[in-house]
Amino acid sequence: MITTSTIEISQERQNEAEEQIRELHKTVDYNTIEYPIEVIVNKFIEEENGKTELFIPDYQREFAWDEIRQSKFIESILLGLPIPAIYVADNSEELLEENNLETEDLGRWEIIDGTQRIRTLARFINQELRLQGLEKLTKLEGFLFSDLPLARQRRFKRASIRIIELTEDTDEETRRNLFERINSGSVELNAMEKRRGIRRGKFLDLLDKLAKNTKFLELCSFSEAQIKYKDPQEYILRFFAFLNNYDNGYESFIKKNITDFLDEYLEETNQITSDKILEMEKEFNQMLNFVERYFPNGFYQENKTGKKPVTRIKFESLSVGIALALRENLNLKPTSNALSLLYSKEFNDYTKGDASSSKVKVLRRINYVKSMLLGE
């Protein structure tokens, strides 16, 4: 550990640090605005030419707050407690093509941070949220917005929230960097959700598309919570990352650093051609068809309570091993012994616990599946 007693900062290092700050400093052009809650909600729900002025970009997360957390946010407003600012960005003409937007999107506000709060406000005012689990205003338990006295409704809608607006002069990189930094300390935003905010591209679009494949969802037996938190996209990303780095022996895979490995692969693969995207989609579907045909329970296992969703480690082991076997023999017809691998002691040993912590273990479990299917 570095302490003040073990390191000295020279004047030269100070000058170098200052030079680096100046070089990498991003000029963020922004406005600070105070808007009443009623105006914010109207901008979020009222459409003009089929679009709202305040919108949630596709890289943002789904609605994640439960009703107790939503209620506590409303309680904070009613108590007059400070509310964090909402960050938005003005759509500029330069960003239209990059974000697949149209001319009609100019001037709209893209929500960078604050989607959960804005959705909660809209739900409450629109009679969709019944207050519950309140800590201070316990007399409001079970209230809808319309149950508040009329004067209190008016005061609530007049309460203002600060909005930080990044102007049209703020570039896309700065916006995405702000999104990453705002959420980097959040326990609610998982790695896959962060990737959606800062690494858009053709490959990430493919992940979103494949994650809606009903066959894939059924074979993995994902829960609603897993789908909500983008686990399907994470599984598919792992499939392609481990499949397409197999030949190089996972050179870039660092022990206990799976997140960096996946991030780097995603960023690189976002640059590939549309033809390559189609090839990847085809190979993914071939793997799914094989699983559907030869594994009655898909990727999951049955237990006393029903289906047991497959873990990430077991999914990537099976899916990548199958895909590699199919690359050698597209018409592969495995033996009954090979198909029992899912329940074998070896497979369970290779995929239990922290089995993804080293590239040696990754290769061992994937090779086991591949070899079993090919009868090697």
Side-chain angles (χ1 to χ4, degrees), residues 274-316:
S274 298
D275 288 343
K276 182 61 177 177
I277 288 290
L278 291 176
E279 290 179 17
M280 295 174 74
E281 181 176 3
K282 180 180 179 181
E283 187 163 31
F284 181 76
N285 287 326
Q286 287 172 343
M287 179 273 296
L288 288 183
N289 291 336
F290 183 91
V291 174
E292 183 182 43
R293 181 173 183 180
Y294 292 108
F295 290 86
N297 289 335
F299 293 104
Y300 60 84
Q301 292 175 305
E302 296 280 0
N303 57 20
K304 294 180 180 179
T305 59
K307 297 177 180 179
K308 180 182 178 182
V310 66
T311 64
R312 289 174 172 83
I313 294 172
K314 287 187 176 181
F315 171 79
E316 68 200 28

Side-chain angles (χ1 to χ4, degrees), residues 92-124:
S92 67
E93 189 167 355
E94 289 76 11
L95 299 176
L96 293 186
E97 182 176 352
E98 182 170 351
N99 291 326
N100 296 317
L101 300 175
E102 303 172 355
T103 305
E104 292 78 5
D105 292 304
L106 283 173
R108 296 176 71 204
W109 272 354
E110 170 187 330
I111 304 172
I112 294 178
D113 181 64
T115 61
Q116 305 298 314
R117 282 165 280 163
I118 292 173
R119 284 165 159 158
T120 296
L121 292 171
R123 289 196 73 227
F124 186 53

